[in-house]
Amino acid sequence: MSEVTVQGGQEVLGVGRIEGPILVVEGGANVSYDEVVEIQDSRGQVRRGRVLEVGEGFAVIQAFAGSTGLSIDGTRVRFLGNTLHIPVADEMLGRIFDGLGNPIDGGPEPLTDRYMDVNGQPINPTARIYPRDYIQTGISTIDGVNTLLRGQKLPLFSGAGMPHDQLAAQIVRQATLGKIAGAPPTEGEEFAIVFAAMGVKNDVADYFRRSFTESGALTRVAMFLNLADDPPVERIVTPRAALTLAEYLAYELEKHVLVVLTDMTNYGEALRQISNVRGEVPSRKGYPGYLYSDLASMYERTGRIRTSKGSITQIPILTMPNDDITHPMPDLTGYITEGQIVLGRELNFAGIYPPVAVLPSLSRLMKDGIGKNRTRDDHPRWGAQLYAAYARTQDVRALASVIGEEELSDVDQKYLKFGRAFEREFVNQSFTENRSIERTLEIGWKLLSILPKKELTRVTLDEIAQYYKGDDASN
Amino acid sequence: MSEQVGTITWISGPVVRARGSRHVGMLELVEVGTERLVGEVIGLKGDQMTVQVYEETAGMQTGAPIFGTGLPLSVELGPGLIQSIYDGVQRPLPLIEEAVGSFINRGARFDSISREKKWKFTPKVKVGDEVKGGAVLGAVMETDTFEHRIMLNPDDSGTISWIAASGEYTVTDVIAKVKMGREEKSVTMLQRWPVRRARPFVSRRGANIPLITGQRILDTFFPVAKGGAAGIPGPFGSGKTVTQHSIAKWADAEIIVYIGCGERGNEMTEVLQEFPHLVDPRTGRPLMERTVLIANTSNMPVAAREASIYTGITIAEYYRDMGYHVALMADSTSRWAEALREVSGRLEEMPAEEGYPAYLAGRLAEFYERAGYVNNLNGTQGSVSIVGAVSPPGGDFSEPVTQHTKRFIRCFWALDKSLASARHFPAINWLDSYSEYLEDVAFWWREKTGKDWLSMRNRAMELLSEESRLSQIVKLVGPDALPYTERMVLETTRLIREGILQQNATESVDAFSSVEKQIRMLELVLYFHERGMAIVRRGAPINLIHDLPVVDTIIRAKSTVTNEEMHKFDDIQKQIDQQMGQLDAEYRS
């Protein structure tokens, strides 16, 4: 984490080869791997890039803003002697930056002498604190059955045309420090928000900006925008710049930081494009073999460490191409992140918001953030029971579509009723509805009470005695 | 040591090329650049060497020096390994944290095993004894209950010319001198062993003792033998890591080596924070006191991820050589294979399937073949069992890593996304999984429990596959169309699935089932089936059996009856007798 040496650095006139955003420069000596360069075209305009590969007397450079307008002879490349660093400061909250961290809101450069390497450094596993404090998002499908904890990375897997932006905005707006069910409401600790847009449309960025403004959060948000018409190569840096600021806020200023990254699919495409131009051996669907490690180098920049009270919680958004969850981007993301919230198209068609497909969604850390002394004692078993019952509903629906609803047994009929109510009352809630954890648990028990007691094998008999509200009088 | 052997000419990620190959050997450990980052020579061609670097190379320049060490990539072995947490090349992570803070810096160098700590050494040989490689020269108590046997390097042999008296020594103090031909060699408690070379043994033994994990679907249905190898493939979210953690917690091995290879940082932290507080049911000591952790998380350097598997297995073999049963978990071998692929790609090697190098299968075979139940050089017996997680992209088992792994393991625990979605955990699909150790361990079960485990297990599997066939029909025509006898099968298999196969790793009673409890539960369910079948054959409607209160009792028994309360199962059997007896009497007439 040293400062950038902006002055000095050797300069080379002329490049050997230009191919897409990749330049091969000949003649530099002592070039460092991953070093930042300044590329000046024949008209004197400067753009930045970085070194991807160095050999004796040559260096392969990736120009962030692409190579448009560069010529073989008229291009000057200046090696800056350091890896890419960005300034970090508390006052960057409330500001808007481009994908490389330069202000684009008309304001001045952030006033700071702290510069940090955008690549960060891996957190030592022994220095981490395991996440245990839940975040109340006010959304039943998250708080109830896919609980988000501070220091967790939980992506939204969505598809084109689904309301993932609304859901992310709602999470950001409503997120507060979770408390035990029934505890009096306290002033929630407010999250600092770092928002990174990669290749999204201008109106998406605009939507988030408006949403932050309306909820009064704008002063707590730092936005890094690489929009659809910005250079794709810059996208490689955008999430890293955002996470670098997040790390500074969380681990040095001890804030709780919520990072929203959208859309990671566009990031993956930019990475594939560069890999392709470089002629690397592709693995699945043309993505480079190091896609997993590359994604991990960002997603793993989440969590809590022992030397700070702060935390970084990540909510990356991915639109799955063709809604395919086995596509390399959602697939590798799912292997790295601690669960996933999957949006379902059928629910969306049915007019249910948020259309969270409960069965494929998962929060891996949930088990450690809920239950006695955290939410409520019955929460873990209650959640498992809801899941199991809803899973059974799917089987019953499949059966009903073949033999007709009338032919179903009484118990199966009740499952159908449960399934409908679950989607309409538990999953469905309005964009402005902020449900407490008690309310979420209460709705869940009300739905479980549709089923006969005998079907509820995941919860204890005591819990049934305490919370079951149905008309099944057996014991 | 440490003379300059080359000059860097090319850098791309973790792969570096340098001029000056004459003074280094293949797979030699080298120090790269002015920061002296750890690397390994992986190719020599003309005067050019190719090095994979185990640390981040950003900022490194061409023209920088490479230093040779004359040694292959090795691990340090000796007392002090237990309770350690290392990165992929055996650097102690807690010391790195102490020295450089919460983030891992480059170039940090520490001894893998503490040079200061003193151990109470008790000699086991005397002057004049002939000793061969692997011979136990003495012992120290590595934890309160674990005896660490100090062995002679497997490659050495000779006559003891001096042995230290009982007392406190550090790992670098000389504890014995061995006369080998004309020269005399000083022996310390510290050994180095090249990670890519399997430690030698005399011969393999038959693997016929099961590795008991306390997980019912594993022990009862798909057991792995001590010294065997098992694979757990599954898509994300299907519970690979939870299963691996459960095995690490409860397996009846004396030493656990857990390799977090390219996985999540928080998961390793979970192990670190949880294991010291969990008690080993066999020794009453914290689980951490039998565990060695290797953590090379997904954001740590990729080449070190490749090495982590070898570091782990070498440590496992070392404890095996002392005569212990060691279980090694590797989570996940797919990330290791991807590290191979990444390095191979940087070397511009010709790819085989899906970009993986052609030697992928060979490397996997080498790794799994290091499992085994063996007769050690010193006459003891020990085992290394390997449980490797596989993370197939998109959950597609036809991909190269899963397919090649299947060739080298004999036990396959297939995780299933749809079971996981229904929160059926462990989400191991009983129809896709297999174990080739069934016959081998059947004798052990008979000796241990006095019951015919294999027939019971096979009967239950028969019912489960019958269920799968019947559920196809149910999907088409509904359950009412089935005769009562077939619906009785469905009743029983529900008991098997919910009462036996499902196991809650987070619930204290259910997390670990003794073998006695496992077999008794199975016995009860089968007993329920036989009695129920007899009744429905007489024409009793199936819903009468479905509604018996004992059904619920059996399903809940896993979490209501502890391993110590075996007599409660007799009560459940009485309830079956009583409730079924009533029905039986009604329909007998």
Side-chain angles (χ1 to χ4, degrees), chain A residues 33 53-56 121-122 124 126 284 292-293 300 306 331 335-338 364 387 399 402 456 458-459, chain B residues 9-11 13 19 59-60 93 97 102 104-105 237 262 264 266 305 335 392-394 423 474 476 556:
Chain A
Y33 176 67
E53 181 180 325
V54 286
E56 268 183 312
Q121 284 173 319
N124 189 328
T126 61
R284 289 176 65 220
Y292 178 84
S293 303
E300 277 292 325
R306 284 197 292 205
D331 189 50
Y335 274 120
I336 305 164
T337 54
E338 285 134 353
R364 288 166 189 272
Y387 257 108
L399 181 60
V402 178
L456 308 182
R458 306 289 179 105
V459 290
Chain B
T9 56
W10 181 85
I11 307 161
R19 228 190 342 262
M60 191 180 279
L93 290 171
E97 185 193 352
S102 307
I104 297 175
N105 256 334
R264 304 175 183 89
N266 277 335
R305 192 196 297 167
R335 305 301 162 223
R423 295 304 186 263
V474 171
L476 289 176
R556 289 180 191 275

Short mmCIF file of all heavy atoms in Angstrom, two decimals, chain A residues 33 53-56 121-122 124 126 284 292-293 300 306 331 335-338 364 387 399 402 456 458-459, chain B residues 9-11 13 19 59-60 93 97 102 104-105 237 262 264 266 305 335 392-394 423 474 476 556:
data_model
loop_
_atom_site.label_atom_id
_atom_site.label_comp_id
_atom_site.label_asym_id
_atom_site.label_seq_id
_atom_site.Cartn_x
_atom_site.Cartn_y
_atom_site.Cartn_z
N TYR A 33 5.87 -6.39 -13.92
CA TYR A 33 4.62 -7.07 -14.19
C TYR A 33 3.51 -6.32 -13.46
O TYR A 33 3.67 -5.92 -12.31
CB TYR A 33 4.73 -8.52 -13.71
CG TYR A 33 3.44 -9.30 -13.86
CD1 TYR A 33 2.95 -9.61 -15.13
CD2 TYR A 33 2.72 -9.71 -12.76
CE1 TYR A 33 1.78 -10.31 -15.28
CE2 TYR A 33 1.54 -10.42 -12.89
CZ TYR A 33 1.08 -10.71 -14.16
OH TYR A 33 -0.09 -11.41 -14.30
N GLU A 53 1.98 -8.73 -19.34
CA GLU A 53 3.01 -9.74 -19.54
C GLU A 53 4.29 -8.98 -19.86
O GLU A 53 4.26 -7.99 -20.59
CB GLU A 53 2.58 -10.61 -20.74
CG GLU A 53 3.51 -11.73 -21.09
CD GLU A 53 2.99 -12.53 -22.32
OE1 GLU A 53 1.77 -12.69 -22.46
OE2 GLU A 53 3.83 -12.94 -23.11
N VAL A 54 5.41 -9.40 -19.29
CA VAL A 54 6.67 -8.77 -19.68
C VAL A 54 7.67 -9.81 -20.11
O VAL A 54 7.74 -10.90 -19.55
CB VAL A 54 7.31 -7.95 -18.53
CG1 VAL A 54 6.58 -6.66 -18.29
CG2 VAL A 54 7.43 -8.74 -17.25
N GLY A 55 8.42 -9.45 -21.14
CA GLY A 55 9.52 -10.30 -21.59
C GLY A 55 10.73 -9.44 -21.77
O GLY A 55 10.70 -8.24 -21.46
N GLU A 56 11.79 -10.02 -22.26
CA GLU A 56 13.00 -9.22 -22.46
C GLU A 56 12.79 -8.27 -23.63
O GLU A 56 12.58 -8.71 -24.76
CB GLU A 56 14.18 -10.13 -22.74
CG GLU A 56 14.92 -10.48 -21.48
CD GLU A 56 16.14 -11.31 -21.79
OE1 GLU A 56 16.01 -12.28 -22.55
OE2 GLU A 56 17.20 -10.99 -21.28
N GLN A 121 -4.93 -7.22 -1.06
CA GLN A 121 -4.13 -8.37 -0.66
C GLN A 121 -5.05 -9.36 0.00
O GLN A 121 -6.03 -8.96 0.62
CB GLN A 121 -3.07 -7.93 0.35
CG GLN A 121 -1.92 -7.19 -0.29
CD GLN A 121 -0.98 -6.63 0.74
OE1 GLN A 121 -1.41 -6.11 1.76
NE2 GLN A 121 0.30 -6.72 0.47
N PRO A 122 -4.76 -10.66 -0.13
CA PRO A 122 -5.68 -11.63 0.49
C PRO A 122 -5.71 -11.47 2.01
O PRO A 122 -4.67 -11.28 2.65
CB PRO A 122 -5.11 -12.99 0.08
CG PRO A 122 -3.78 -12.73 -0.51
CD PRO A 122 -3.68 -11.29 -0.87
N ASN A 124 -5.70 -12.85 5.56
CA ASN A 124 -5.21 -14.06 6.21
C ASN A 124 -6.39 -14.75 6.92
O ASN A 124 -7.07 -14.10 7.71
CB ASN A 124 -4.14 -13.65 7.23
CG ASN A 124 -3.41 -14.85 7.80
OD1 ASN A 124 -3.97 -15.93 7.95
ND2 ASN A 124 -2.14 -14.65 8.12
N THR A 126 -6.61 -16.57 9.34
CA THR A 126 -6.55 -16.53 10.80
C THR A 126 -6.91 -15.15 11.33
O THR A 126 -7.16 -14.99 12.51
CB THR A 126 -5.15 -16.90 11.32
OG1 THR A 126 -4.22 -15.94 10.82
CG2 THR A 126 -4.73 -18.27 10.89
N ARG A 284 -14.47 -23.21 -20.34
CA ARG A 284 -15.87 -23.33 -20.77
C ARG A 284 -16.38 -22.04 -21.41
O ARG A 284 -16.12 -20.96 -20.93
CB ARG A 284 -16.75 -23.70 -19.58
CG ARG A 284 -16.52 -25.11 -19.13
CD ARG A 284 -17.34 -25.41 -17.87
NE ARG A 284 -18.76 -25.37 -18.13
CZ ARG A 284 -19.64 -24.83 -17.29
NH1 ARG A 284 -19.22 -24.25 -16.18
NH2 ARG A 284 -20.92 -24.84 -17.57
N TYR A 292 -12.27 -18.50 -12.31
CA TYR A 292 -12.58 -18.76 -10.90
C TYR A 292 -11.67 -17.95 -9.96
O TYR A 292 -12.13 -17.26 -9.07
CB TYR A 292 -12.43 -20.26 -10.60
CG TYR A 292 -12.68 -20.63 -9.16
CD1 TYR A 292 -13.96 -20.84 -8.68
CD2 TYR A 292 -11.62 -20.75 -8.26
CE1 TYR A 292 -14.20 -21.16 -7.36
CE2 TYR A 292 -11.84 -21.07 -6.94
CZ TYR A 292 -13.13 -21.28 -6.49
OH TYR A 292 -13.35 -21.60 -5.17
N SER A 293 -10.36 -18.02 -10.21
CA SER A 293 -9.43 -17.30 -9.34
C SER A 293 -9.65 -15.80 -9.44
O SER A 293 -9.55 -15.07 -8.45
CB SER A 293 -7.98 -17.60 -9.74
OG SER A 293 -7.76 -18.98 -9.69
N GLU A 300 -13.74 -12.55 -2.48
CA GLU A 300 -13.14 -12.85 -1.17
C GLU A 300 -12.76 -11.57 -0.41
O GLU A 300 -12.34 -11.63 0.73
CB GLU A 300 -11.92 -13.76 -1.33
CG GLU A 300 -12.26 -15.25 -1.44
CD GLU A 300 -12.81 -15.85 -0.15
OE1 GLU A 300 -12.37 -15.45 0.94
OE2 GLU A 300 -13.70 -16.72 -0.24
N ARG A 306 -10.19 -9.16 12.68
CA ARG A 306 -10.15 -8.98 14.13
C ARG A 306 -9.73 -7.59 14.58
O ARG A 306 -10.02 -7.18 15.68
CB ARG A 306 -9.21 -10.02 14.74
CG ARG A 306 -9.86 -11.38 14.79
CD ARG A 306 -9.11 -12.26 15.72
NE ARG A 306 -7.80 -12.54 15.17
CZ ARG A 306 -7.10 -13.62 15.48
NH1 ARG A 306 -7.58 -14.47 16.32
NH2 ARG A 306 -5.93 -13.83 14.96
N ASP A 331 -22.28 -20.00 -12.19
CA ASP A 331 -21.79 -21.25 -11.62
C ASP A 331 -20.56 -21.01 -10.75
O ASP A 331 -20.52 -21.41 -9.59
CB ASP A 331 -21.46 -22.21 -12.77
CG ASP A 331 -21.15 -23.62 -12.27
OD1 ASP A 331 -21.96 -24.13 -11.49
OD2 ASP A 331 -20.11 -24.16 -12.65
N TYR A 335 -19.95 -21.02 -6.51
CA TYR A 335 -18.94 -21.80 -5.80
C TYR A 335 -18.11 -20.94 -4.84
O TYR A 335 -17.47 -21.45 -3.94
CB TYR A 335 -17.99 -22.48 -6.79
CG TYR A 335 -18.48 -23.81 -7.30
CD1 TYR A 335 -18.69 -24.05 -8.64
CD2 TYR A 335 -18.72 -24.87 -6.41
CE1 TYR A 335 -19.12 -25.28 -9.12
CE2 TYR A 335 -19.15 -26.10 -6.87
CZ TYR A 335 -19.35 -26.30 -8.22
OH TYR A 335 -19.77 -27.52 -8.66
N ILE A 336 -18.07 -19.63 -5.09
CA ILE A 336 -17.23 -18.78 -4.25
C ILE A 336 -18.06 -18.07 -3.18
O ILE A 336 -17.64 -17.97 -2.03
CB ILE A 336 -16.50 -17.71 -5.11
CG1 ILE A 336 -15.71 -18.36 -6.22
CG2 ILE A 336 -15.58 -16.87 -4.22
CD1 ILE A 336 -15.28 -17.41 -7.31
N THR A 337 -19.24 -17.59 -3.56
CA THR A 337 -20.04 -16.81 -2.63
C THR A 337 -20.68 -17.71 -1.58
O THR A 337 -20.74 -18.92 -1.75
CB THR A 337 -21.13 -16.04 -3.38
OG1 THR A 337 -21.89 -16.97 -4.15
CG2 THR A 337 -20.54 -14.99 -4.27
N GLU A 338 -21.18 -17.08 -0.55
CA GLU A 338 -21.78 -17.86 0.53
C GLU A 338 -23.28 -17.93 0.34
O GLU A 338 -24.05 -17.43 1.13
CB GLU A 338 -21.38 -17.24 1.87
CG GLU A 338 -19.95 -17.58 2.20
CD GLU A 338 -19.11 -16.43 2.70
OE1 GLU A 338 -19.57 -15.28 2.69
OE2 GLU A 338 -17.98 -16.67 3.10
N ARG A 364 -25.50 -19.69 3.03
CA ARG A 364 -24.69 -20.68 3.75
C ARG A 364 -24.41 -20.29 5.18
O ARG A 364 -24.16 -21.14 6.02
CB ARG A 364 -23.33 -20.82 3.09
CG ARG A 364 -23.36 -21.50 1.80
CD ARG A 364 -22.05 -21.28 1.09
NE ARG A 364 -22.18 -21.77 -0.25
CZ ARG A 364 -21.93 -23.03 -0.59
NH1 ARG A 364 -21.51 -23.87 0.31
NH2 ARG A 364 -22.10 -23.43 -1.80
N TYR A 387 -39.11 -24.72 3.98
CA TYR A 387 -38.44 -25.21 2.77
C TYR A 387 -38.99 -26.57 2.37
O TYR A 387 -39.35 -26.80 1.22
CB TYR A 387 -36.95 -25.36 3.03
CG TYR A 387 -36.14 -24.26 2.42
CD1 TYR A 387 -35.56 -23.30 3.22
CD2 TYR A 387 -35.97 -24.19 1.05
CE1 TYR A 387 -34.80 -22.29 2.67
CE2 TYR A 387 -35.22 -23.17 0.49
CZ TYR A 387 -34.64 -22.23 1.30
OH TYR A 387 -33.92 -21.23 0.75
N LEU A 399 -47.82 -33.54 -9.76
CA LEU A 399 -48.80 -34.61 -9.76
C LEU A 399 -50.17 -34.07 -10.19
O LEU A 399 -50.85 -34.68 -11.02
CB LEU A 399 -48.87 -35.23 -8.36
CG LEU A 399 -49.84 -36.40 -8.16
CD1 LEU A 399 -49.46 -37.54 -9.08
CD2 LEU A 399 -49.81 -36.86 -6.71
N VAL A 402 -50.96 -33.72 -13.74
CA VAL A 402 -51.21 -34.95 -14.49
C VAL A 402 -52.59 -35.52 -14.16
O VAL A 402 -53.39 -35.79 -15.05
CB VAL A 402 -50.13 -36.02 -14.17
CG1 VAL A 402 -50.43 -37.31 -14.90
CG2 VAL A 402 -48.76 -35.50 -14.53
N LEU A 456 -45.47 -31.80 10.05
CA LEU A 456 -44.41 -30.87 10.48
C LEU A 456 -43.35 -31.62 11.30
O LEU A 456 -43.31 -31.53 12.51
CB LEU A 456 -45.01 -29.73 11.30
CG LEU A 456 -46.18 -28.99 10.63
CD1 LEU A 456 -46.66 -27.84 11.51
CD2 LEU A 456 -45.79 -28.47 9.26
N ARG A 458 -40.01 -31.26 10.98
CA ARG A 458 -38.74 -30.55 11.15
C ARG A 458 -38.73 -29.68 12.41
O ARG A 458 -37.69 -29.32 12.90
CB ARG A 458 -38.43 -29.67 9.95
CG ARG A 458 -38.45 -30.38 8.61
CD ARG A 458 -37.27 -31.31 8.48
NE ARG A 458 -37.29 -32.00 7.21
CZ ARG A 458 -36.52 -31.71 6.19
NH1 ARG A 458 -35.64 -30.75 6.29
NH2 ARG A 458 -36.59 -32.38 5.07
N VAL A 459 -39.94 -29.29 12.87
CA VAL A 459 -40.00 -28.47 14.08
C VAL A 459 -40.28 -29.37 15.28
O VAL A 459 -40.73 -30.51 15.12
CB VAL A 459 -41.10 -27.38 13.96
CG1 VAL A 459 -40.71 -26.33 12.95
CG2 VAL A 459 -42.43 -28.01 13.58
N THR B 9 13.49 -13.44 -17.55
CA THR B 9 13.34 -12.89 -18.89
C THR B 9 11.89 -12.68 -19.26
O THR B 9 11.58 -11.99 -20.24
CB THR B 9 13.94 -13.85 -19.94
OG1 THR B 9 13.31 -15.13 -19.77
CG2 THR B 9 15.44 -13.99 -19.76
N TRP B 10 10.95 -13.27 -18.54
CA TRP B 10 9.54 -13.20 -18.94
C TRP B 10 8.67 -13.45 -17.73
O TRP B 10 8.98 -14.32 -16.90
CB TRP B 10 9.31 -14.26 -20.01
CG TRP B 10 7.92 -14.34 -20.58
CD1 TRP B 10 7.41 -13.60 -21.60
CD2 TRP B 10 6.88 -15.25 -20.19
NE1 TRP B 10 6.12 -13.98 -21.87
CE2 TRP B 10 5.77 -14.99 -21.03
CE3 TRP B 10 6.79 -16.26 -19.23
CZ2 TRP B 10 4.57 -15.70 -20.91
CZ3 TRP B 10 5.60 -16.97 -19.12
CH2 TRP B 10 4.51 -16.67 -19.97
N ILE B 11 7.58 -12.68 -17.60
CA ILE B 11 6.68 -12.86 -16.45
C ILE B 11 5.24 -12.82 -16.93
O ILE B 11 4.85 -11.90 -17.67
CB ILE B 11 6.85 -11.72 -15.41
CG1 ILE B 11 8.31 -11.57 -15.00
CG2 ILE B 11 5.97 -11.97 -14.18
CD1 ILE B 11 8.61 -10.24 -14.36
N GLY B 13 1.74 -13.61 -14.76
CA GLY B 13 1.06 -14.16 -13.58
C GLY B 13 2.03 -14.99 -12.76
O GLY B 13 3.16 -14.56 -12.50
N ARG B 19 16.74 -17.18 -17.73
CA ARG B 19 17.89 -17.76 -18.39
C ARG B 19 18.81 -18.34 -17.35
O ARG B 19 18.94 -17.80 -16.26
CB ARG B 19 18.63 -16.65 -19.15
CG ARG B 19 18.97 -17.00 -20.57
CD ARG B 19 19.90 -16.02 -21.23
NE ARG B 19 19.97 -14.72 -20.58
CZ ARG B 19 19.29 -13.65 -20.98
NH1 ARG B 19 18.46 -13.73 -22.00
NH2 ARG B 19 19.41 -12.51 -20.35
N GLY B 59 4.60 -6.35 -9.89
CA GLY B 59 5.73 -5.49 -9.55
C GLY B 59 7.09 -6.11 -9.82
O GLY B 59 8.11 -5.44 -9.75
N MET B 60 7.11 -7.38 -10.17
CA MET B 60 8.39 -8.03 -10.45
C MET B 60 8.90 -7.61 -11.83
O MET B 60 8.12 -7.37 -12.74
CB MET B 60 8.19 -9.55 -10.39
CG MET B 60 9.47 -10.34 -10.41
SD MET B 60 9.10 -12.10 -10.33
CE MET B 60 8.82 -12.30 -8.60
N LEU B 93 0.28 -19.46 9.04
CA LEU B 93 -0.52 -18.24 8.89
C LEU B 93 -0.60 -17.39 10.16
O LEU B 93 -0.58 -16.17 10.07
CB LEU B 93 -1.92 -18.61 8.37
CG LEU B 93 -1.93 -19.11 6.92
CD1 LEU B 93 -3.29 -19.67 6.54
CD2 LEU B 93 -1.56 -17.99 5.97
N GLU B 97 0.31 -13.39 10.36
CA GLU B 97 -0.60 -12.37 10.85
C GLU B 97 0.09 -11.51 11.92
O GLU B 97 0.00 -10.29 11.91
CB GLU B 97 -1.86 -13.02 11.43
CG GLU B 97 -2.89 -11.98 11.85
CD GLU B 97 -4.01 -12.55 12.71
OE1 GLU B 97 -4.10 -13.77 12.86
OE2 GLU B 97 -4.80 -11.74 13.23
N SER B 102 -3.33 -8.21 9.12
CA SER B 102 -4.46 -9.02 8.68
C SER B 102 -4.38 -9.47 7.23
O SER B 102 -5.10 -10.35 6.81
CB SER B 102 -5.75 -8.22 8.84
OG SER B 102 -5.86 -7.73 10.15
N ILE B 104 -2.13 -10.84 3.86
CA ILE B 104 -0.93 -11.62 3.62
C ILE B 104 0.01 -10.87 2.70
O ILE B 104 -0.33 -10.56 1.56
CB ILE B 104 -1.28 -13.00 3.04
CG1 ILE B 104 -2.12 -13.77 4.06
CG2 ILE B 104 -0.03 -13.77 2.68
CD1 ILE B 104 -2.63 -15.08 3.57
N ASN B 105 1.17 -10.56 3.20
CA ASN B 105 2.18 -9.85 2.43
C ASN B 105 3.06 -10.83 1.69
O ASN B 105 3.13 -11.99 2.03
CB ASN B 105 3.06 -9.04 3.37
CG ASN B 105 2.71 -7.59 3.31
OD1 ASN B 105 2.19 -7.11 2.31
ND2 ASN B 105 2.96 -6.89 4.40
N GLY B 237 -23.71 -25.36 -3.26
CA GLY B 237 -24.89 -25.33 -2.41
C GLY B 237 -25.45 -26.70 -2.08
O GLY B 237 -26.50 -26.82 -1.49
N GLY B 262 -8.33 -23.56 -2.36
CA GLY B 262 -9.06 -22.69 -3.27
C GLY B 262 -10.49 -22.49 -2.86
O GLY B 262 -11.35 -22.28 -3.71
N ARG B 264 -13.39 -20.90 0.37
CA ARG B 264 -13.70 -19.61 0.99
C ARG B 264 -12.92 -19.36 2.28
O ARG B 264 -12.71 -20.27 3.08
CB ARG B 264 -15.18 -19.57 1.32
CG ARG B 264 -16.06 -19.82 0.14
CD ARG B 264 -17.50 -19.90 0.58
NE ARG B 264 -18.35 -20.22 -0.55
CZ ARG B 264 -18.65 -21.45 -0.92
NH1 ARG B 264 -18.19 -22.47 -0.24
NH2 ARG B 264 -19.42 -21.67 -1.96
N ASN B 266 -13.95 -17.56 4.84
CA ASN B 266 -14.81 -17.69 6.02
C ASN B 266 -14.95 -19.13 6.48
O ASN B 266 -15.13 -19.40 7.66
CB ASN B 266 -16.20 -17.11 5.73
CG ASN B 266 -16.23 -15.60 5.93
OD1 ASN B 266 -15.44 -15.04 6.68
ND2 ASN B 266 -17.15 -14.94 5.25
N ARG B 305 -1.80 -23.09 -4.35
CA ARG B 305 -2.97 -23.96 -4.26
C ARG B 305 -2.63 -25.34 -4.82
O ARG B 305 -3.02 -26.36 -4.29
CB ARG B 305 -4.11 -23.34 -5.06
CG ARG B 305 -5.44 -23.98 -4.82
CD ARG B 305 -6.43 -23.61 -5.89
NE ARG B 305 -6.74 -22.20 -5.95
CZ ARG B 305 -7.40 -21.63 -6.97
NH1 ARG B 305 -7.82 -22.37 -7.98
NH2 ARG B 305 -7.63 -20.34 -6.99
N ARG B 335 -10.55 -27.27 -7.52
CA ARG B 335 -9.80 -26.00 -7.51
C ARG B 335 -8.32 -26.28 -7.71
O ARG B 335 -7.59 -25.47 -8.27
CB ARG B 335 -10.01 -25.28 -6.18
CG ARG B 335 -11.44 -25.03 -5.84
CD ARG B 335 -12.14 -24.20 -6.91
NE ARG B 335 -13.57 -24.32 -6.79
CZ ARG B 335 -14.41 -24.47 -7.81
NH1 ARG B 335 -13.96 -24.53 -9.04
NH2 ARG B 335 -15.70 -24.57 -7.61
N PRO B 392 -17.95 -30.00 -9.71
CA PRO B 392 -18.13 -30.00 -11.16
C PRO B 392 -18.88 -28.77 -11.63
O PRO B 392 -19.90 -28.41 -11.03
CB PRO B 392 -18.95 -31.26 -11.42
CG PRO B 392 -19.59 -31.59 -10.13
CD PRO B 392 -18.76 -31.01 -9.04
N PRO B 393 -18.39 -28.09 -12.68
CA PRO B 393 -19.08 -26.91 -13.19
C PRO B 393 -20.51 -27.26 -13.58
O PRO B 393 -20.74 -28.27 -14.25
CB PRO B 393 -18.28 -26.53 -14.44
CG PRO B 393 -17.00 -27.25 -14.34
CD PRO B 393 -17.20 -28.43 -13.46
N GLY B 394 -21.44 -26.45 -13.11
CA GLY B 394 -22.83 -26.66 -13.46
C GLY B 394 -23.40 -27.96 -12.91
O GLY B 394 -24.47 -28.40 -13.32
N ARG B 423 -33.94 -29.36 1.31
CA ARG B 423 -33.29 -29.36 2.62
C ARG B 423 -33.19 -30.77 3.19
O ARG B 423 -33.37 -30.98 4.37
CB ARG B 423 -34.00 -28.42 3.60
CG ARG B 423 -33.91 -26.95 3.20
CD ARG B 423 -32.46 -26.52 3.03
NE ARG B 423 -32.33 -25.09 2.78
CZ ARG B 423 -32.21 -24.53 1.58
NH1 ARG B 423 -32.22 -25.31 0.50
NH2 ARG B 423 -32.06 -23.25 1.44
N VAL B 474 -46.32 -43.08 -9.33
CA VAL B 474 -47.10 -42.11 -8.56
C VAL B 474 -47.18 -40.78 -9.31
O VAL B 474 -48.21 -40.13 -9.34
CB VAL B 474 -46.48 -41.93 -7.16
CG1 VAL B 474 -47.14 -40.77 -6.43
CG2 VAL B 474 -46.63 -43.20 -6.35
N LEU B 476 -47.32 -40.33 -12.36
CA LEU B 476 -48.23 -40.41 -13.49
C LEU B 476 -49.68 -40.58 -13.06
O LEU B 476 -50.57 -39.98 -13.64
CB LEU B 476 -47.85 -41.58 -14.39
CG LEU B 476 -46.57 -41.40 -15.19
CD1 LEU B 476 -46.26 -42.66 -15.97
CD2 LEU B 476 -46.71 -40.21 -16.13
N ARG B 556 -38.43 -39.11 14.68
CA ARG B 556 -37.78 -38.17 15.60
C ARG B 556 -36.69 -38.81 16.46
O ARG B 556 -35.96 -38.12 17.17
CB ARG B 556 -38.83 -37.52 16.51
CG ARG B 556 -39.70 -36.53 15.77
CD ARG B 556 -40.72 -35.89 16.67
NE ARG B 556 -41.72 -35.14 15.90
CZ ARG B 556 -41.55 -33.88 15.50
NH1 ARG B 556 -40.45 -33.23 15.82
NH2 ARG B 556 -42.48 -33.27 14.80
#
